[in-house]
Amino acid sequence: MIGIDEAQFFDLDVLTKLAAAWANDGKKVVIAALDQTFEGVAFPGMPNLFVEAEVVKKLHAVCMMFGGLASRTHRLGDSKNIVEVGGTDKYQALCRKCFVEANQKR
Ligand SMILES: [Zn+2]
């Protein structure tokens, strides 16, 4: 079994090819990742990783505003880099409604 966490930080084109080769070789491959950037769009290469997978399971955080299912990551601050490592000092897990409202205020 091969497990990879935080896959959004990897080159997903390379990771997708490696995962396919490992799976074709009979290994069980489990990959965890954020699917979307702070702008609410797929990380580059993420759709191809999903296509390669036998099973895609979408998990949710808890919306930090009102406690519902959070499917988005809202970045605090003005950085536009796709990857910006940080915790609650830089990010909030938000539901769609709160994410839309937070980004309209920018
Ligand atoms: Zn919310």
Side-chain angles (χ1 to χ4, degrees):
M1 179 179 203
I2 297 171
I4 296 178
D5 195 11
E6 302 280 9
Q8 73 275 8
F9 294 138
F10 291 78
D11 179 325
L12 291 175
D13 291 331
V14 171
L15 182 59
T16 298
K17 289 176 184 161
L18 285 170
W22 293 330
N24 292 345
D25 199 33
K27 295 184 174 61
K28 183 171 185 172
V29 182
V30 178
I31 298 174
L34 292 176
D35 58 349
Q36 303 165 36
T37 70
F38 72 100
E39 294 177 305
V41 298
F43 277 95
M46 193 62 74
N48 291 337
L49 183 60
F50 285 6
V51 167
E52 192 60 47
E54 268 74 32
V55 176
V56 176
K57 185 171 185 178
K58 185 159 181 165
L59 303 177
H60 296 87
V62 176
C63 177
M64 296 172 78
M65 297 297 286
F66 297 109
L69 291 180
S71 59
R72 306 282 189 273
T73 305
H74 175 63
R75 181 182 289 162
L76 306 170
D78 296 327
S79 172
K80 296 294 181 199
N81 297 329
I82 291 177
V83 173
E84 183 94 22
V85 176
T88 54
D89 58 322
K90 290 188 180 175
Y91 294 98
Q92 292 178 314
L94 297 178
C95 68
R96 177 183 295 271
K97 181 177 183 290
C98 292
F99 180 82
V100 169
E101 288 175 6
N103 283 290
Q104 286 174 339
K105 293 175 185 170
R106 289 184 175 245

